[in-house]
Amino acid sequence: PRLLSFNLNMNSGGLDLSFSESVMVATLTVSQITFQNFQNVVAAGSSGIQVTLSSGSIRTTTANGPTCSISLGRDDLNRLKNAKFIASNATNTYLSISSSTIRDMTLIQVVSIPSTSGLLVAIYTGDTTGPHLLSFLSNLDTGALTLNFDEPIAILSLNISNSLHLISQQSS
């Protein structure tokens, strides 16, 4: 089988793979999938960026067929969002895979896509969902305020001067 195309949704973390024939989804090894910012990441030299998926990303397709859907794990999605100049638009989102990524119904390995000829994303959906504050910690002795968000943030865009309100509840 050959990987013909892929779609990436940076909002939901969905990765959809389309193959030339039916594949056995149980043979999928997500750690063999790598995102890169250029078609030929080797020729790009120091400008080339790669992010390989971890086992935290899981397949969501259960039926064998020519398509396979993957839900990127939080760590993988955040690594993509945190890396500059990769998977931030349709022109810098390429995929390379090893032949060990998945097999067809007769257990033949997929044709690899090396990092020297990455496959460009077919449909790209950007991240339009803002970060959510998960928790915070304040230290009144040092005056430090630690904010924990659900995804990476651009620290220079953080403006709390007009948004931070401290409320004290006194007991009688």
Side-chain angles (χ1 to χ4, degrees):
R2 293 183 181 277
L3 178 61
L4 300 177
S5 66
F6 75 97
N7 303 330
L8 178 64
N9 186 320
M10 291 297 287
N11 267 325
S12 67
L15 172 62
D16 297 320
L17 307 173
S18 296
F19 295 92
S20 60
E21 61 181 277
S22 290
V23 292
M24 189 177 297
V25 295
T27 65
L28 177 68
T29 305
V30 295
S31 60
Q32 299 299 309
I33 299 172
T34 300
F35 286 95
Q36 54 193 59
N37 62 334
F38 289 103
Q39 182 177 29
N40 186 340
V41 75
V42 175
S46 62
S47 298
I49 302 168
Q50 293 181 296
V51 174
T52 300
L53 297 182
S54 70
S55 57
S57 292
I58 57 167
R59 67 179 163 79
T60 56
T61 302
T62 56
N64 296 329
T67 61
C68 182
S69 295
I70 297 168
S71 178
L72 299 182
R74 182 176 173 178
D75 288 345
D76 286 338
L77 189 58
N78 284 344
R79 283 190 310 140
L80 281 172
K81 289 179 179 183
N82 207 32
K84 293 183 179 182
F85 312 114
I86 183 171
S88 60
N89 61 57
T91 63
N92 67 4
T93 306
Y94 292 85
L95 207 64
S96 57
I97 61 172
S98 80
S99 60
S100 302
T101 303
I102 200 163
R103 295 172 182 259
D104 71 7
M105 303 308 293
T106 59
L107 298 179
I108 296 174
Q109 292 181 322
V110 69
V111 175
S112 68
I113 299 175
S115 61
T116 54
S117 57
L119 180 65
L120 182 63
V121 67
I123 299 174
Y124 176 87
T125 304
D127 179 14
T128 57
T129 304
H132 293 96
L133 180 65
L134 297 176
S135 63
F136 66 93
L137 177 65
S138 64
N139 184 325
L140 297 179
D141 292 331
T142 63
L145 178 64
T146 303
L147 305 174
N148 183 22
F149 293 91
D150 66 340
E151 65 177 285
I153 61 165
I155 194 69
L156 295 177
S157 71
L158 184 62
N159 180 359
I160 61 171
S161 61
N162 293 324
S163 304
L164 183 63
H165 302 283
L166 298 176
I167 300 171
S168 173
Q169 293 183 344
Q170 296 178 328
S171 59
S172 20

